[in-house]
Amino acid sequence: MSKKKVLGCLLTGAVVTTAVTTTVMKNKAKKTTYKAESIDPITPREMGFYEKYVKRAIDVTCATGAIVVFSPIYLGVAALVRAKLGSPVLFTQDRPGLVGPDGKETVFKMYKFRSMTDERDENGELLPDEVRLTKFGKWLRNTSLDELPEAFNILNGTMSVIGPRPQLVRDMVFMTKEQRMRHTAKPGLSGLAQVNGRNAISWEDKMNWDLKYIKKVTFKEDLKIILDTVKKAFIKQEGITQDDMATAEDLGDYLLRTEKVNQSEYNKRKEMATEILEGSLKDYGDK
């Protein structure tokens, strides 16, 4: 068989494998995503041609290429996490995703490499983040290596390479309807806020960068953000945590600390977040 035929067979096999893997992962993702039913709807945004038809193909290509090319790094980091932090190697967390036609966010499982221990107190409660976040865990976060598994979220269609970073459900419930417009774009591995200060900037600035991004989603802008991300995350190695905190401060805690919400409103919205997350248990039972 000629070299051209061999190459053609390999390329065909790669395309078929990618298509099958992507389909399987999308079907699995559907079983673990659910609707944030308790939240008020917002008006969905009309997507342009690139965002609607081209961006997904680029996402699949980039995610597949990253998993193949960096597979030794995936295996190496997984082995380190297993040795230093134990099992499980992967950490999953429910995050708000794309707003549906009904104006409510879907909530999906986001994958990351584990960066904290599961140490608990005498009552079985997890110890504070600053206690459970080890030196190794900080290194993982500062190098962004903990985020490598999000490539599988990109493959299953719950995330994109570029878009507003998916925050926590307990952050979403404190956002205004205008700020929640960020969820009318698929959440991304990196975004404008990440290349313009990450967690060193205020919550308001982060939201404003996200809202600026969704005004005009283009290939040129996405490419620029990708290049800036590589420079900041891997060359300059900028961390994701705030200077005086082990992890980023929740939006609700920030609003309460700065007296932008009172204790009563804070408690009410925290209850809403709990209600949304508890809804996942019912949905999983129905599937």
Side-chain angles (χ1 to χ4, degrees), residues 120-138:
R120 298 174 182 271
D121 60 22
E122 62 276 8
N123 298 318
E125 299 292 330
L126 285 171
L127 294 176
D129 290 348
E130 58 268 21
V131 176
R132 297 187 296 117
L133 184 62
T134 64
K135 184 177 180 180
F136 169 71
K138 290 179 182 178

Side-chain angles (χ1 to χ4, degrees), residues 9 13 18 45 65-66 83 133 182-183 217 228 234-235 260 263 273 277 283:
C9 288
T18 299
R45 174 181 57 89
L133 184 62
R182 68 195 297 280
H183 300 144
V217 181
D228 286 344
F234 297 105
I235 298 177
K260 294 179 180 179
Q263 188 66 54
L277 291 169
D283 286 350

